[in-house]
């Protein structure tokens, strides 16, 4: 599960620090860094964003006022140098309130809370209806069974599904496809790749092999892959 987030802060150093923490988590996907509420508002209108790291004291539009203006709110973690706004933030149902300088352990605690909430919100597939889905491909629709998928590759504005039957290109985003996939059966190994766990044939540190294809493994996602291997590893 990947959580798409944006950072909203008028201080470049603050944005850089949070971006580094985001990168280290492995399950957060940084969609944009915004220097103002106005810029963030544009991003939210154009993209699906799950989580907002929001500063309070910014020029023109304060973070709290921006949050109040949103008709549909993503999960929000306040990041600020001013602890006195905590009560007002929690009254707006923010997920957490981080006071700068933000320590890695405190940051991890906050984003793990976001991860738990995302998992809780994932809808369960209706009984008897969870083995397949449809994508738009070419001039029609193609039925894709989960057990047929080898891996999925994101390329610019479309995704390619490699299956045991054929290869399918669709304008569906990687984010939409990932939300459809059943937890535990698929794993993101790089920003552009999601693989079927049971189709992995080998792993050599920086790449995995599926069929005749070698796929790169990003260091941001390597830990999750190693946990999977460790659970299945036969020891002496």
């Amino acid at each position: 599960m990947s959580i798409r987030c944006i950072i909203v802060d008028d201080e470049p150093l603050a944005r850089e620090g949070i971006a580094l923490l985001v990168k280290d988590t492995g399950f957060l996907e940084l969609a944009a860094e915004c220097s103002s509420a106005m810029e963030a508002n544009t991003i939210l209108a154009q993209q699906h964003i799950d989580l907002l790291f929001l500063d309070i004291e910014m020029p023109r539009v304060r973070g709290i006022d921006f949050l109040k203006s949103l008709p549909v709110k993503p999960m929000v973690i306040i990041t600020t140098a001013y602890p006195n706004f905590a009560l007002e933030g929690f009254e707006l149902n923010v997920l957490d309130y981080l006071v700068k300088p933000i320590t890695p352990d405190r940051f991890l605690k906050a984003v793990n809370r976001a991860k738990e909430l995302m998992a809780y919100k994932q809808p369960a597939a209706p009984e008897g209806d969870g083995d397949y889905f449809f994508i738009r491909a070419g001039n029609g629709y193609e039925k894709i069974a989960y057990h047929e998928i080898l891996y999925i590759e994101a390329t610019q504005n479309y995704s390619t599904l490699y299956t045991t039957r054929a290869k399918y290109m669709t304008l569906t985003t990687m984010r939409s496809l990932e939300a459809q996939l059943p937890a535990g059966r698929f794993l993101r190994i790089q920003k552009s790749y999601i693989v079927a766990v049971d189709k992995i044939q080998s792993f050599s540190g920086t790449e995995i092999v599926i069929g005749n294809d070698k796929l790169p493994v990003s260091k941001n996602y390597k830990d999750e892959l190693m946990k999977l291997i460790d659970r299945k590893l036969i020891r002496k």
Side-chain angles (χ1 to χ4, degrees):
M1 178 178 63
S2 179
I3 300 176
R4 283 178 58 81
C5 62
I6 62 174
I7 300 167
V8 189
D9 199 308
D10 62 307
E11 299 178 5
L13 287 178
R15 292 196 303 272
E16 182 180 349
I18 296 172
L20 289 173
L21 291 170
V22 166
K23 183 179 179 181
D24 287 341
T25 62
F27 59 84
L28 295 178
E29 180 183 344
L30 184 57
E33 296 181 35
C34 305
S35 60
S36 69
M38 303 299 289
E39 188 178 346
N41 194 58
T42 301
I43 296 294
L44 291 175
Q46 296 173 341
Q47 303 182 42
H48 173 77
I49 301 299
D50 301 306
L51 176 62
L52 208 63
F53 292 100
L54 182 63
D55 186 27
I56 289 181
E57 290 299 330
M58 294 186 292
R60 298 182 65 188
V61 181
R62 295 168 64 247
I64 292 291
D65 295 329
F66 171 58
L67 185 55
K68 290 177 179 178
S69 75
L70 294 176
V72 179
K73 298 177 177 62
M75 296 182 291
V76 177
I77 294 176
I78 295 291
T79 59
T80 180
Y82 303 95
N84 52 307
F85 289 104
L87 179 59
E88 189 175 3
F90 283 119
E91 286 176 347
L92 290 169
N93 295 318
V94 302
L95 195 62
D96 211 333
Y97 193 100
L98 302 181
V99 179
K100 301 172 185 176
I102 301 169
T103 60
D105 60 322
R106 186 66 184 86
F107 181 85
L108 191 60
K109 182 178 179 180
V111 297
N112 277 337
R113 188 174 297 171
K115 186 178 182 181
E116 290 171 5
L117 183 59
M118 278 280 290
Y120 177 77
K121 287 181 176 181
Q122 289 290 333
E127 187 175 350
D129 193 35
D131 297 329
Y132 63 90
F133 58 93
F134 284 89
I135 59 169
R136 186 162 195 143
N139 295 322
Y141 298 88
E142 195 71 33
K143 180 180 178 180
I144 306 293
Y146 292 125
H147 69 84
E148 296 177 320
I149 300 173
L150 300 174
Y151 63 93
I152 302 170
E153 180 182 12
T155 310
Q156 295 181 343
N157 297 323
Y158 60 90
S159 300
T160 303
L161 288 83
Y162 294 81
T163 77
T164 53
R165 286 187 294 135
K167 179 174 71 173
Y168 303 98
M169 294 176 62
T170 176
L171 285 173
T172 306
T173 64
M174 177 76 92
R175 172 67 187 167
S176 296
L177 289 170
E178 186 173 23
Q180 178 68 39
L181 299 174
R185 293 177 60 179
F186 295 86
L187 183 70
R188 185 184 283 266
I189 61 165
Q190 204 246 18
K191 186 177 180 181
S192 300
Y193 290 100
I194 294 175
V195 302
V197 170
D198 65 341
K199 302 300 192 301
I200 298 175
Q201 294 170 242
S202 65
F203 170 56
S204 60
T206 59
E207 64 182 19
I208 67 168
V209 175
I210 295 180
N212 296 321
D213 298 327
K214 294 181 179 180
L215 308 177
V217 177
S218 166
K219 62 180 180 181
N220 292 336
Y221 298 98
K222 184 177 178 180
D223 286 347
E224 288 300 315
L225 180 58
M226 291 306 300
K227 288 177 185 177
L228 169 69
I229 292 173
D230 188 64
R231 288 198 299 267
K232 296 291 184 177
L233 183 64
I234 298 177
R235 295 177 171 83
K236 294 180 179 180

PDB file of all heavy atoms in Angstrom, residues 2 9 19 22 51 62 93 96-97 110 116 132-133 136 158 175 194 218 221 227 235:
ATOM      1  N   SER A   2       0.637   2.140  -0.947  1.00  0.00           N
ATOM      2  CA  SER A   2       1.382   3.384  -1.048  1.00  0.00           C
ATOM      3  C   SER A   2       0.470   4.557  -0.704  1.00  0.00           C
ATOM      4  O   SER A   2      -0.680   4.598  -1.131  1.00  0.00           O
ATOM      5  CB  SER A   2       1.937   3.543  -2.466  1.00  0.00           C
ATOM      6  OG  SER A   2       2.652   4.748  -2.588  1.00  0.00           O
ATOM      7  N   ASP A   9       4.655  23.895   2.927  1.00  0.00           N
ATOM      8  CA  ASP A   9       5.450  24.674   3.882  1.00  0.00           C
ATOM      9  C   ASP A   9       6.188  25.767   3.105  1.00  0.00           C
ATOM     10  O   ASP A   9       6.761  25.491   2.044  1.00  0.00           O
ATOM     11  CB  ASP A   9       6.456  23.774   4.606  1.00  0.00           C
ATOM     12  CG  ASP A   9       6.978  24.388   5.893  1.00  0.00           C
ATOM     13  OD1 ASP A   9       7.451  25.552   5.847  1.00  0.00           O
ATOM     14  OD2 ASP A   9       6.939  23.721   6.931  1.00  0.00           O
ATOM     15  N   ALA A  19      10.762  15.961   3.337  1.00  0.00           N
ATOM     16  CA  ALA A  19      10.895  15.121   2.136  1.00  0.00           C
ATOM     17  C   ALA A  19      11.863  13.964   2.377  1.00  0.00           C
ATOM     18  O   ALA A  19      11.626  12.834   1.914  1.00  0.00           O
ATOM     19  CB  ALA A  19      11.358  15.965   0.957  1.00  0.00           C
ATOM     20  N   VAL A  22      10.049  11.431   4.457  1.00  0.00           N
ATOM     21  CA  VAL A  22       9.078  10.729   3.605  1.00  0.00           C
ATOM     22  C   VAL A  22       9.780   9.632   2.804  1.00  0.00           C
ATOM     23  O   VAL A  22       9.304   8.494   2.719  1.00  0.00           O
ATOM     24  CB  VAL A  22       8.376  11.719   2.646  1.00  0.00           C
ATOM     25  CG1 VAL A  22       7.641  10.970   1.532  1.00  0.00           C
ATOM     26  CG2 VAL A  22       7.405  12.601   3.418  1.00  0.00           C
ATOM     27  N   LEU A  51      -2.560  12.162   1.878  1.00  0.00           N
ATOM     28  CA  LEU A  51      -2.022  12.731   3.117  1.00  0.00           C
ATOM     29  C   LEU A  51      -1.369  14.085   2.859  1.00  0.00           C
ATOM     30  O   LEU A  51      -0.645  14.259   1.879  1.00  0.00           O
ATOM     31  CB  LEU A  51      -0.984  11.762   3.712  1.00  0.00           C
ATOM     32  CG  LEU A  51      -0.226  12.193   4.960  1.00  0.00           C
ATOM     33  CD1 LEU A  51      -1.171  12.420   6.138  1.00  0.00           C
ATOM     34  CD2 LEU A  51       0.828  11.143   5.320  1.00  0.00           C
ATOM     35  N   ARG A  62      -3.104  31.046   5.889  1.00  0.00           N
ATOM     36  CA  ARG A  62      -2.565  30.195   6.952  1.00  0.00           C
ATOM     37  C   ARG A  62      -3.026  28.752   6.742  1.00  0.00           C
ATOM     38  O   ARG A  62      -4.059  28.480   6.138  1.00  0.00           O
ATOM     39  CB  ARG A  62      -3.040  30.691   8.316  1.00  0.00           C
ATOM     40  CG  ARG A  62      -2.514  32.054   8.695  1.00  0.00           C
ATOM     41  CD  ARG A  62      -3.227  32.610   9.904  1.00  0.00           C
ATOM     42  NE  ARG A  62      -3.007  31.798  11.096  1.00  0.00           N
ATOM     43  CZ  ARG A  62      -3.954  31.084  11.725  1.00  0.00           C
ATOM     44  NH1 ARG A  62      -5.192  31.041  11.233  1.00  0.00           N
ATOM     45  NH2 ARG A  62      -3.685  30.409  12.808  1.00  0.00           N
ATOM     46  N   ASN A  93      -9.904  17.623  13.211  1.00  0.00           N
ATOM     47  CA  ASN A  93      -9.690  16.190  12.961  1.00  0.00           C
ATOM     48  C   ASN A  93      -8.390  15.883  12.226  1.00  0.00           C
ATOM     49  O   ASN A  93      -8.353  14.995  11.367  1.00  0.00           O
ATOM     50  CB  ASN A  93     -10.873  15.600  12.175  1.00  0.00           C
ATOM     51  CG  ASN A  93     -12.162  15.633  12.973  1.00  0.00           C
ATOM     52  OD1 ASN A  93     -12.162  15.344  14.161  1.00  0.00           O
ATOM     53  ND2 ASN A  93     -13.254  15.991  12.311  1.00  0.00           N
ATOM     54  N   ASP A  96      -2.355  14.037  13.226  1.00  0.00           N
ATOM     55  CA  ASP A  96      -1.312  14.232  14.237  1.00  0.00           C
ATOM     56  C   ASP A  96      -0.787  15.661  14.148  1.00  0.00           C
ATOM     57  O   ASP A  96      -1.074  16.380  13.196  1.00  0.00           O
ATOM     58  CB  ASP A  96      -0.164  13.235  14.036  1.00  0.00           C
ATOM     59  CG  ASP A  96       0.510  12.868  15.357  1.00  0.00           C
ATOM     60  OD1 ASP A  96       0.471  13.697  16.293  1.00  0.00           O
ATOM     61  OD2 ASP A  96       1.068  11.763  15.454  1.00  0.00           O
ATOM     62  N   TYR A  97      -0.004  16.055  15.145  1.00  0.00           N
ATOM     63  CA  TYR A  97       0.497  17.418  15.266  1.00  0.00           C
ATOM     64  C   TYR A  97       1.976  17.326  15.622  1.00  0.00           C
ATOM     65  O   TYR A  97       2.336  16.977  16.748  1.00  0.00           O
ATOM     66  CB  TYR A  97      -0.297  18.142  16.361  1.00  0.00           C
ATOM     67  CG  TYR A  97      -0.127  19.636  16.415  1.00  0.00           C
ATOM     68  CD1 TYR A  97      -1.073  20.482  15.863  1.00  0.00           C
ATOM     69  CD2 TYR A  97       0.980  20.206  17.049  1.00  0.00           C
ATOM     70  CE1 TYR A  97      -0.933  21.857  15.931  1.00  0.00           C
ATOM     71  CE2 TYR A  97       1.134  21.583  17.111  1.00  0.00           C
ATOM     72  CZ  TYR A  97       0.171  22.404  16.558  1.00  0.00           C
ATOM     73  OH  TYR A  97       0.305  23.765  16.624  1.00  0.00           O
ATOM     74  N   ALA A 110       3.675   9.127  13.528  1.00  0.00           N
ATOM     75  CA  ALA A 110       2.558   9.827  12.890  1.00  0.00           C
ATOM     76  C   ALA A 110       2.158   9.163  11.575  1.00  0.00           C
ATOM     77  O   ALA A 110       0.976   8.947  11.313  1.00  0.00           O
ATOM     78  CB  ALA A 110       2.936  11.290  12.642  1.00  0.00           C
ATOM     79  N   GLU A 116      -2.206   2.881   9.150  1.00  0.00           N
ATOM     80  CA  GLU A 116      -3.243   2.070   9.787  1.00  0.00           C
ATOM     81  C   GLU A 116      -4.636   2.539   9.373  1.00  0.00           C
ATOM     82  O   GLU A 116      -5.532   1.728   9.124  1.00  0.00           O
ATOM     83  CB  GLU A 116      -3.094   2.144  11.311  1.00  0.00           C
ATOM     84  CG  GLU A 116      -1.852   1.431  11.841  1.00  0.00           C
ATOM     85  CD  GLU A 116      -1.623   1.698  13.315  1.00  0.00           C
ATOM     86  OE1 GLU A 116      -2.478   2.367  13.945  1.00  0.00           O
ATOM     87  OE2 GLU A 116      -0.589   1.244  13.853  1.00  0.00           O
ATOM     88  N   TYR A 132     -11.169 -10.883  -9.812  1.00  0.00           N
ATOM     89  CA  TYR A 132     -10.842 -10.228 -11.070  1.00  0.00           C
ATOM     90  C   TYR A 132     -11.319  -8.779 -11.064  1.00  0.00           C
ATOM     91  O   TYR A 132     -12.046  -8.344 -10.180  1.00  0.00           O
ATOM     92  CB  TYR A 132     -11.504 -10.964 -12.248  1.00  0.00           C
ATOM     93  CG  TYR A 132     -13.011 -10.941 -12.193  1.00  0.00           C
ATOM     94  CD1 TYR A 132     -13.743  -9.914 -12.790  1.00  0.00           C
ATOM     95  CD2 TYR A 132     -13.722 -11.942 -11.522  1.00  0.00           C
ATOM     96  CE1 TYR A 132     -15.125  -9.873 -12.723  1.00  0.00           C
ATOM     97  CE2 TYR A 132     -15.104 -11.918 -11.451  1.00  0.00           C
ATOM     98  CZ  TYR A 132     -15.799 -10.878 -12.053  1.00  0.00           C
ATOM     99  OH  TYR A 132     -17.162 -10.837 -11.980  1.00  0.00           O
ATOM    100  N   PHE A 133     -10.897  -8.039 -12.085  1.00  0.00           N
ATOM    101  CA  PHE A 133     -11.395  -6.691 -12.314  1.00  0.00           C
ATOM    102  C   PHE A 133     -11.314  -6.422 -13.816  1.00  0.00           C
ATOM    103  O   PHE A 133     -10.787  -7.245 -14.579  1.00  0.00           O
ATOM    104  CB  PHE A 133     -10.603  -5.639 -11.522  1.00  0.00           C
ATOM    105  CG  PHE A 133      -9.126  -5.612 -11.822  1.00  0.00           C
ATOM    106  CD1 PHE A 133      -8.608  -4.754 -12.789  1.00  0.00           C
ATOM    107  CD2 PHE A 133      -8.249  -6.428 -11.118  1.00  0.00           C
ATOM    108  CE1 PHE A 133      -7.247  -4.728 -13.073  1.00  0.00           C
ATOM    109  CE2 PHE A 133      -6.885  -6.408 -11.393  1.00  0.00           C
ATOM    110  CZ  PHE A 133      -6.389  -5.558 -12.374  1.00  0.00           C
ATOM    111  N   ARG A 136      -9.886  -0.730 -19.062  1.00  0.00           N
ATOM    112  CA  ARG A 136     -10.158  -0.278 -20.423  1.00  0.00           C
ATOM    113  C   ARG A 136      -8.882  -0.458 -21.234  1.00  0.00           C
ATOM    114  O   ARG A 136      -7.832   0.075 -20.885  1.00  0.00           O
ATOM    115  CB  ARG A 136     -10.589   1.177 -20.423  1.00  0.00           C
ATOM    116  CG  ARG A 136     -11.021   1.651 -21.800  1.00  0.00           C
ATOM    117  CD  ARG A 136     -11.843   2.905 -21.741  1.00  0.00           C
ATOM    118  NE  ARG A 136     -12.535   3.118 -23.016  1.00  0.00           N
ATOM    119  CZ  ARG A 136     -13.741   3.609 -23.133  1.00  0.00           C
ATOM    120  NH1 ARG A 136     -14.431   3.907 -22.057  1.00  0.00           N
ATOM    121  NH2 ARG A 136     -14.283   3.787 -24.318  1.00  0.00           N
ATOM    122  N   TYR A 158       0.101   6.190 -18.437  1.00  0.00           N
ATOM    123  CA  TYR A 158      -0.626   4.934 -18.543  1.00  0.00           C
ATOM    124  C   TYR A 158       0.117   3.823 -17.805  1.00  0.00           C
ATOM    125  O   TYR A 158       1.241   4.001 -17.330  1.00  0.00           O
ATOM    126  CB  TYR A 158      -0.826   4.550 -20.016  1.00  0.00           C
ATOM    127  CG  TYR A 158       0.453   4.359 -20.802  1.00  0.00           C
ATOM    128  CD1 TYR A 158       1.065   3.115 -20.864  1.00  0.00           C
ATOM    129  CD2 TYR A 158       1.036   5.420 -21.479  1.00  0.00           C
ATOM    130  CE1 TYR A 158       2.235   2.928 -21.580  1.00  0.00           C
ATOM    131  CE2 TYR A 158       2.211   5.246 -22.207  1.00  0.00           C
ATOM    132  CZ  TYR A 158       2.807   4.002 -22.250  1.00  0.00           C
ATOM    133  OH  TYR A 158       3.960   3.819 -22.953  1.00  0.00           O
ATOM    134  N   ARG A 175      -1.788   4.204  -9.364  1.00  0.00           N
ATOM    135  CA  ARG A 175      -2.445   4.398  -8.069  1.00  0.00           C
ATOM    136  C   ARG A 175      -3.813   3.710  -8.032  1.00  0.00           C
ATOM    137  O   ARG A 175      -4.146   3.031  -7.061  1.00  0.00           O
ATOM    138  CB  ARG A 175      -2.598   5.906  -7.814  1.00  0.00           C
ATOM    139  CG  ARG A 175      -3.432   6.254  -6.603  1.00  0.00           C
ATOM    140  CD  ARG A 175      -2.767   5.830  -5.323  1.00  0.00           C
ATOM    141  NE  ARG A 175      -3.640   6.016  -4.187  1.00  0.00           N
ATOM    142  CZ  ARG A 175      -3.424   5.514  -2.985  1.00  0.00           C
ATOM    143  NH1 ARG A 175      -2.350   4.798  -2.762  1.00  0.00           N
ATOM    144  NH2 ARG A 175      -4.256   5.732  -2.004  1.00  0.00           N
ATOM    145  N   ILE A 194       4.875  -2.772  -9.703  1.00  0.00           N
ATOM    146  CA  ILE A 194       4.201  -3.592  -8.697  1.00  0.00           C
ATOM    147  C   ILE A 194       4.255  -5.025  -9.212  1.00  0.00           C
ATOM    148  O   ILE A 194       3.963  -5.280 -10.378  1.00  0.00           O
ATOM    149  CB  ILE A 194       2.737  -3.163  -8.495  1.00  0.00           C
ATOM    150  CG1 ILE A 194       2.664  -1.757  -7.889  1.00  0.00           C
ATOM    151  CG2 ILE A 194       2.005  -4.154  -7.591  1.00  0.00           C
ATOM    152  CD1 ILE A 194       1.246  -1.222  -7.781  1.00  0.00           C
ATOM    153  N   SER A 218      13.922  -0.749  -5.834  1.00  0.00           N
ATOM    154  CA  SER A 218      14.366   0.494  -5.210  1.00  0.00           C
ATOM    155  C   SER A 218      14.716   0.242  -3.751  1.00  0.00           C
ATOM    156  O   SER A 218      14.079  -0.566  -3.071  1.00  0.00           O
ATOM    157  CB  SER A 218      13.254   1.544  -5.311  1.00  0.00           C
ATOM    158  OG  SER A 218      13.513   2.629  -4.457  1.00  0.00           O
ATOM    159  N   TYR A 221      11.944   0.407  -1.192  1.00  0.00           N
ATOM    160  CA  TYR A 221      10.978  -0.691  -1.053  1.00  0.00           C
ATOM    161  C   TYR A 221      11.647  -2.023  -0.731  1.00  0.00           C
ATOM    162  O   TYR A 221      10.972  -3.035  -0.562  1.00  0.00           O
ATOM    163  CB  TYR A 221      10.160  -0.828  -2.344  1.00  0.00           C
ATOM    164  CG  TYR A 221       9.342   0.395  -2.663  1.00  0.00           C
ATOM    165  CD1 TYR A 221       9.799   1.350  -3.564  1.00  0.00           C
ATOM    166  CD2 TYR A 221       8.113   0.619  -2.043  1.00  0.00           C
ATOM    167  CE1 TYR A 221       9.055   2.485  -3.845  1.00  0.00           C
ATOM    168  CE2 TYR A 221       7.361   1.752  -2.323  1.00  0.00           C
ATOM    169  CZ  TYR A 221       7.839   2.673  -3.227  1.00  0.00           C
ATOM    170  OH  TYR A 221       7.106   3.801  -3.492  1.00  0.00           O
ATOM    171  N   LYS A 227      11.451  -8.508   4.162  1.00  0.00           N
ATOM    172  CA  LYS A 227      10.569  -9.065   5.190  1.00  0.00           C
ATOM    173  C   LYS A 227       9.786 -10.246   4.638  1.00  0.00           C
ATOM    174  O   LYS A 227       9.589 -11.260   5.310  1.00  0.00           O
ATOM    175  CB  LYS A 227       9.600  -7.984   5.696  1.00  0.00           C
ATOM    176  CG  LYS A 227      10.242  -6.913   6.556  1.00  0.00           C
ATOM    177  CD  LYS A 227       9.226  -5.848   6.941  1.00  0.00           C
ATOM    178  CE  LYS A 227       9.875  -4.707   7.699  1.00  0.00           C
ATOM    179  NZ  LYS A 227       8.895  -3.622   8.009  1.00  0.00           N
ATOM    180  N   ARG A 235      15.458 -22.201   6.831  1.00  0.00           N
ATOM    181  CA  ARG A 235      16.774 -22.110   7.492  1.00  0.00           C
ATOM    182  C   ARG A 235      17.250 -23.507   7.874  1.00  0.00           C
ATOM    183  O   ARG A 235      16.515 -24.493   7.814  1.00  0.00           O
ATOM    184  CB  ARG A 235      16.688 -21.221   8.725  1.00  0.00           C
ATOM    185  CG  ARG A 235      16.359 -19.762   8.372  1.00  0.00           C
ATOM    186  CD  ARG A 235      16.204 -18.914   9.629  1.00  0.00           C
ATOM    187  NE  ARG A 235      16.093 -17.498   9.293  1.00  0.00           N
ATOM    188  CZ  ARG A 235      14.980 -16.910   8.921  1.00  0.00           C
ATOM    189  NH1 ARG A 235      13.848 -17.612   8.815  1.00  0.00           N
ATOM    190  NH2 ARG A 235      14.946 -15.609   8.642  1.00  0.00           N
TER     191      ARG A 235
END
